[in-house]
């Protein structure tokens, strides 16, 4: 029987690498926005950066899962860390906006491939009984990065420049790559170079068919994945795209007031994630997903109907507080019910669908804000988000589906046929 210290040795090392990478990502995100704004003095030029991410995800996730499931995940993660670090290092070297957009596109392609790769590696590394705690701690680290990253970026801007912040992120990714070199090679000699060479258009179509066949046999898992994605990513992103405009135009807040709102959200994330780490072992996974998602929706609802700064701040805190619970619960559910040998393909195809829906929803909300009003667009998006959150909550709390949230007795569980 492994001691707790020994069993957490590699998961802790992986969390350390994730933490460094997350902090660097926030520094990069803020610095890149400032660099493009300084170059162009155009809000449109900055907004294009936000469109590049889902476009890159759509271009990558339609095929990357086939490679991920046929490659050594540790080696692939190391390669993605170092290649993204190199591309980020190149960003400040030229003043061409097109050049920067192309590099950002390639960096986001790497990000899109990295997340399903790391998700598969985590599922292999972390045994079922440790997953909830690992995911809770990972959520806390992500929350800390949300607060620490911008703070470090601000400090770097005072003593240096956005360009120096970009180089800091390149260094952070390189360090994360070095950390991965210390991780165990869980798939040593499992994959041969010939496996990669055999991938063709025919194989890609077959892989899409494999994922569709799996989901047909696991309709409940498909429903939870889709509902969670639409509520927590698609609709949240669409509504968030109007967040600054809603705060300034509808609520009449100043820039400093809006900055305080963002800080309140950061505090909510930290508090929620910290409490989640403490109670995660005593709370059912179904409760974490259902109540967490519903809590996020209620927070958005309070914010959307707020008329004052104080009420808006309450909404921001509530929605941020419940994010950690929902994300940790869903990640554990996903790890327990998606077969490890399919996880790369399933994750990539899920990401493709998610990115497509996110672009569509963001465009619809943006057009509604332009043609009707910002307030109506936000209210409509939030109400739809809450209604879908209620459906998701009802689905996860159904007594007949309790078996999906019990502790699995194997390293991974293939979802039961519905």
């Amino acid at each position: 029987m492994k001691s707790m210290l020994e069993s957490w040795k590699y998961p802790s090392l992986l969390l350390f690498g994730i933490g460094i990478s997350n902090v660097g990502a926030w520094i990069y995100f803020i610095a890149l926005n400032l660099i493009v704004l300084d170059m162009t003095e155009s809000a449109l030029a900055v907004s294009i950066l936000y469109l590049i991410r889902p476009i890159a995800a759509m271009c990558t996730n339609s095929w990357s899962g086939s490679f991920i499931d046929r490659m050594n995940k540790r080696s692939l993660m190391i390669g993605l860390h170092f290649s993204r670090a190199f591309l980020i290092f190149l960003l400040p070297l030229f003043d061409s906006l097109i050049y920067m957009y192309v590099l950002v596109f390639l960096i986001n392609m790497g990000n899109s491939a990295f997340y399903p790769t790391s998700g598969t590696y985590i599922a292999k590394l972390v045994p079922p009984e440790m997953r909830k705690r690992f995911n809770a701690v990972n959520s806390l680290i992500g929350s800390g990065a949300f607060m620490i990253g911008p703070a470090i970026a601000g400090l770097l801007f005072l003593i240096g420049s956005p360009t120096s912040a970009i180089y800091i992120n390149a260094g952070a990714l390189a360090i994360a790559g070095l950390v991965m070199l210390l991780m165990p090679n869980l798939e040593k000699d499992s994959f041969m170079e010939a496996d990669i060479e055999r991938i063709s258009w025919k194989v890609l179509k077959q892989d899409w068919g494999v994922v569709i066949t799996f989901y047909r046999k696991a309709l409940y898992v498909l429903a939870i994945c889709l509902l969670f994605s639409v509520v927590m990513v698609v609709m949240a992103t669409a509504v968030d795209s109007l967040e600054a405009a809603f705060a300034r135009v509808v609520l009449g807040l100043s820039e400093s007031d809006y900055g305080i709102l963002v800080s309140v959200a950061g505090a909510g994330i930290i508090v929620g994630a910290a409490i989640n780490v403490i109670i995660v072992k005593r709370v059912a996974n179904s409760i974490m997903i259902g109540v967490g998602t519903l809590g996020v929706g209620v927070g958005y609802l309070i914010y959307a109907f707020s008329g004052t700064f104080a009420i808006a701040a309450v909404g921001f805190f509530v929605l941020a507080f419940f994010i950690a619970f929902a994300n940790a619960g869903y990640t554990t559910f996903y790890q327990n019910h998606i077969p490890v040998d399919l996880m790369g393909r399933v994750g990539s195809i899920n990401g493709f669908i998610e990115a497509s829906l996110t672009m569509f929803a963001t465009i619809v909300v943006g057009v509604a804000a332009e043609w009707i009003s910002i307030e109506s667009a936000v209210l409509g998006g939030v109400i739809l988000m809450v209604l879908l959150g209620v459906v998701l909550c009802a689905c996860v709390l159904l007594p007949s589906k309790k078996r999906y949230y019990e502790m699995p007795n194997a390293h991974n569980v293939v979802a039961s046929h519905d």
Side-chain angles (χ1 to χ4, degrees):
M1 190 74 173
K2 286 185 177 181
S3 67
M4 181 176 292
L5 190 62
E6 186 182 355
S7 62
W8 274 95
K9 174 185 174 182
Y10 287 118
S12 298
L13 191 60
L14 182 58
L15 288 169
F16 173 72
I18 290 171
I20 292 175
S21 178
N22 285 346
V23 170
W26 276 105
I27 296 172
Y28 156 80
F29 178 75
I30 295 171
L32 183 62
N33 278 263
L34 289 177
I35 289 173
V36 171
L37 188 60
D38 288 342
M39 285 175 57
T40 64
E41 296 183 354
S42 167
L44 176 61
V46 176
S47 67
I48 291 174
L49 293 172
Y50 289 81
L51 287 176
I52 289 175
R53 181 177 179 179
I55 293 173
M58 291 172 64
C59 292
T60 307
N61 288 332
S62 57
W63 53 267
S64 62
S66 296
F67 286 89
I68 293 168
D69 283 338
R70 291 174 172 86
M71 292 181 69
N72 185 296
K73 259 60 80 180
R74 174 179 173 270
S75 300
L76 185 55
M77 289 169 69
I78 292 169
L80 287 169
H81 272 312
F82 285 119
S83 60
R84 287 181 297 162
F86 178 70
L87 291 172
I88 289 171
F89 179 82
L90 295 177
L91 265 176
L93 298 184
F94 297 94
D95 293 333
S96 168
L97 190 61
I98 298 300
Y99 159 85
M100 295 190 73
Y101 284 155
V102 170
L103 282 182
V104 170
F105 179 79
L106 293 175
I107 291 164
N108 277 291
M109 286 186 71
N111 292 341
S112 297
F114 181 82
Y115 291 115
T117 305
S118 63
T120 306
Y121 184 84
I122 289 169
K124 285 176 172 287
L125 177 73
V126 183
E129 64 274 10
M130 290 172 56
R131 286 175 183 166
K132 281 180 70 177
R133 177 58 60 84
F134 178 93
N135 293 328
V137 174
N138 193 14
S139 183
L140 178 60
I141 289 172
S143 304
F146 174 81
M147 295 294 288
I148 295 171
I152 294 176
L155 182 61
L156 289 171
F157 299 158
L158 286 176
I159 63 177
S161 67
T163 299
S164 63
I166 290 287
Y167 290 136
I168 289 289
N169 182 44
L173 278 172
I175 292 172
L178 292 173
V179 170
M180 281 306 304
L181 287 170
L182 303 176
M183 297 297 296
N185 190 352
L186 302 176
E187 299 166 314
K188 190 175 182 180
D189 300 325
S190 296
F191 299 98
M192 307 299 292
E193 190 174 340
D195 291 329
I196 303 172
E197 293 174 352
R198 283 199 298 267
I199 293 177
S200 62
W201 175 246
K202 181 181 178 181
V203 172
L204 294 179
K205 288 197 297 183
Q206 288 174 345
D207 284 347
W208 272 75
V210 168
V211 174
I212 292 170
T213 299
F214 164 72
Y215 270 142
R216 281 177 177 169
K217 296 175 180 178
L219 292 176
Y220 180 76
V221 175
L222 172 62
I224 299 303
C225 288
L226 280 177
L227 281 170
F228 187 89
S229 179
V230 170
V231 174
M232 294 296 295
V233 179
V234 175
M235 293 311 303
T237 302
V239 171
D240 286 348
S241 69
L242 296 177
E243 181 184 286
F246 184 85
R248 296 295 303 281
V249 177
V250 179
L251 300 181
L253 303 181
S254 65
E255 288 186 6
S256 59
D257 288 338
Y258 178 64
I260 294 172
L261 274 184
V262 175
S263 298
V264 168
I269 289 175
I270 292 291
V271 173
I275 293 175
N276 186 34
V277 169
I278 296 170
I279 69 172
V280 66
K281 296 290 285 185
R282 297 189 291 273
V283 179
N285 211 36
S286 55
I287 298 294
M288 290 174 64
I289 299 173
V291 176
T293 304
L294 206 55
V296 171
V298 169
Y300 271 102
L301 204 59
I302 294 171
Y303 167 66
F305 281 97
S306 65
T308 65
F309 171 82
I311 297 176
V314 170
F316 262 54
F317 185 88
V318 170
L319 72 89
F321 178 87
F322 284 101
I323 284 175
F325 296 91
N327 285 341
Y330 172 74
T331 302
T332 304
F333 174 88
Y334 182 87
Q335 291 167 344
N336 289 343
H337 293 288
I338 304 298
V340 172
D341 59 343
L342 284 181
M343 203 169 275
R345 282 165 284 182
V346 171
S348 294
I349 291 173
N350 285 0
F352 174 82
I353 295 170
E354 188 177 276
S356 304
L357 292 176
T358 298
M359 282 197 68
F360 175 76
T362 302
I363 291 170
V364 169
V365 169
V367 170
E370 189 71 25
W371 288 359
I372 307 172
S373 70
I374 295 173
E375 184 175 15
S376 297
V378 170
L379 286 174
V382 168
I383 289 171
L384 177 59
M385 182 182 183
V386 171
L387 290 175
L388 291 172
V390 170
V391 173
L392 175 59
C393 186
C395 287
V396 299
L397 295 179
L398 284 171
S400 61
K401 304 299 180 183
K402 185 178 179 181
R403 69 185 187 278
Y404 284 90
Y405 304 94
E406 294 172 346
M407 178 68 67
N409 54 16
H411 280 283
N412 204 287
V413 177
V414 178
S416 302
H417 296 189
D418 286 294

